[in-house]
Structure formats: C-alpha cells, structure tokens
Amino acid sequence: MGGSSLSNLAGYKVRYGNAAGNYPTTITLSNPGITAYVVENLTPGTYYFVLASYDSAGLESANSSPASKTIL
C-alpha cells in the first residue's frame, strides 16, 4: 500500500514460522477492531511473527517488523 493510509480496513493477517523471514503459516483475522489474539498449540521453540493489514478489496500492507517469542 506504499505508505499511504489504509481506508476500508477489513482485518489483519498474522504470519509466523520458526525462522525470521520465513512465515509459512497465516491466520486471517477478519475483525478490524480486534485488539488481541492468542495463537494456540505451539510446540516448544522460537517463533517469529509479522502482521499485515488488508482492506475490503483484499489489498495488503507490507508486513510489520518481526517479533519473536520462545515457547518452553
């Protein structure tokens, strides 16, 4: 979306995987008002997450910077 403001926000896509830069799993959250989401049933290891928003036409923003979480 090239840095322009997003109109008609429709939701978010959470992508994650076990290596930074490789996010094979995508969770689509179609509620643009959501403020929290729990990814369940992760096996032990380190996971890297990115988030993108999308609009009603299906256009997506760039991914956010990655965040990581280690599950023991």
Side-chain angles (χ1 to χ4, degrees):
M1 299 200 178
S4 61
S5 60
L6 178 66
S7 60
N8 301 319
L9 178 63
Y12 303 95
K13 293 192 178 181
V14 177
R15 295 182 173 94
Y16 67 94
N18 293 105
N22 183 21
Y23 313 107
T25 305
T26 301
I27 300 169
T28 300
L29 306 173
S30 57
N31 176 356
I34 197 166
T35 59
Y37 182 82
V38 176
V39 179
E40 298 181 344
N41 301 318
L42 295 175
T43 57
T46 299
Y47 293 85
Y48 297 85
F49 297 84
V50 293
L51 179 72
S53 57
Y54 66 93
D55 67 13
S56 57
L59 298 173
E60 284 188 36
S61 69
N63 286 337
S64 66
S65 296
S68 64
K69 176 68 179 171
T70 300
I71 306 298
L72 302 176

